[in-house]
Amino acid sequence: MSTPEATETTTDVEATIGRVLDETSTWAVVGLSTNTARAAYGVAGVLQRAGKRIVPVHPSAETVHGEQGYASLADIPFPVDVVDVFVRSELAGAVADEAIAIGAKAVWFQLDVIDEDAAARVRAAGLDMVMDRCPAIELGRRPRD
């Protein structure tokens, strides 16, 4: 029996990436802190410059890139379109489940964040799922207007 991720084609993945980048505006960035050396900090800046509202999600709930931080996804008092996950793979499944619980439209696992079971749960819940990709790289691959 084949799984959704096993049958997903490159065309499907590219279509999902395009849809998530084009049709969303509010991105909760899980793992984002004021540490400028971390990838999450740079990617969040790229997302902001691309017109996305970023929402830092980190236990310290720090303000990052001028945006108020929250300790958890459940603490965010407004709708979130995408949950961008910058945590180790073994922690990503719990974040994916929280994303489903808050009614996000999509979950994006960053480069090297891989959890096939969590991805299947996200898709089964009707959300878009991108795994092991970086939105900053994907935005950079797009033609400039």
Side-chain angles (χ1 to χ4, degrees):
M1 182 170 163
S2 65
T3 61
E5 52 278 6
T7 58
E8 192 171 47
T9 66
T10 301
T11 303
D12 294 336
V13 172
E14 296 302 322
T16 300
I17 289 169
R19 187 170 49 252
V20 172
L21 292 176
D22 292 339
E23 299 176 11
T24 63
S25 59
T26 304
W27 288 56
V29 184
V30 178
L32 176 57
S33 71
T34 57
N35 184 343
T36 59
R38 303 291 300 210
Y41 189 89
V43 170
V46 170
L47 288 167
Q48 265 191 331
R49 288 189 296 280
K52 307 299 183 188
R53 177 183 185 187
I54 58 117
V55 183
V57 179
H58 190 278
S60 62
E62 298 170 301
T63 296
V64 184
H65 292 299
E67 293 287 346
Q68 169 64 48
Y70 297 90
S72 71
L73 290 172
D75 291 338
I76 302 171
F78 49 82
V80 168
D81 296 322
V82 182
V83 175
D84 190 4
V85 182
F86 280 93
V87 300
R88 293 186 315 270
S89 295
E90 59 268 22
L91 303 175
V95 176
D97 294 337
E98 292 173 34
I100 294 166
I102 66 162
K105 296 176 184 173
V107 175
W108 191 301
F109 284 1
Q110 282 294 326
L111 293 173
D112 297 323
V113 178
I114 300 168
D115 184 332
E116 296 290 352
D117 292 337
R121 291 193 306 274
V122 168
R123 290 183 184 108
L127 284 66
D128 280 326
M129 178 72 214
V130 178
M131 185 165 50
D132 193 24
R133 301 291 276 267
C134 175
I137 292 170
E138 298 304 327
L139 284 165
R141 290 179 44 211
R142 296 178 131 203
R144 301 199 183 238
D145 293 334

